[in-house]
């Protein structure tokens, strides 16, 4: 049985993983900086922005972990 060459697929996978890792690092840094908002300046608009971010991340985690609408 001949083994399929996945060299190109692996390279593309690793490149995409690197992109995701960089985005995650930026999100963590932004979160550690309280999303660049000082406590005295927080408004409901900031809360709404974080709700949007959380909803988008929930879609990602639900998909990755087969939860929510992506549950098996």
């Amino acid at each position: 049985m001949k083994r399929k060459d996945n060299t190109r697929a692996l390279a593309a996978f690793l490149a995409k993983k690197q992109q995701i890792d960089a985005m995650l690092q930026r999100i963590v840094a932004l979160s550690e900086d309280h999303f660049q908002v000082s406590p005295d300046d927080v408004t409901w608009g900031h809360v709404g922005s974080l709700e949007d971010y959380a909803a988008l991340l929930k879609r990602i985690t639900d998909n990755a972990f087969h939860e929510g609408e992506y549950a098996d």
Side-chain angles (χ1 to χ4, degrees), residues 23-35:
M23 287 186 278
L24 290 171
Q25 287 175 353
R26 291 181 69 200
I27 290 170
V28 167
L30 187 64
S31 178
E32 288 174 350
D33 189 31
H34 302 282
F35 294 89

Side-chain angles (χ1 to χ4, degrees), residues 4-16:
K4 185 176 170 185
D5 181 8
N6 72 337
T7 305
R8 290 178 53 207
L10 178 59
F13 178 89
L14 293 174
K16 197 54 65 177

Side-chain angles (χ1 to χ4, degrees), residues 34-45:
H34 302 282
F35 294 89
Q36 298 177 329
V37 180
S38 69
D40 293 336
D41 295 331
V42 171
T43 67
W44 286 107

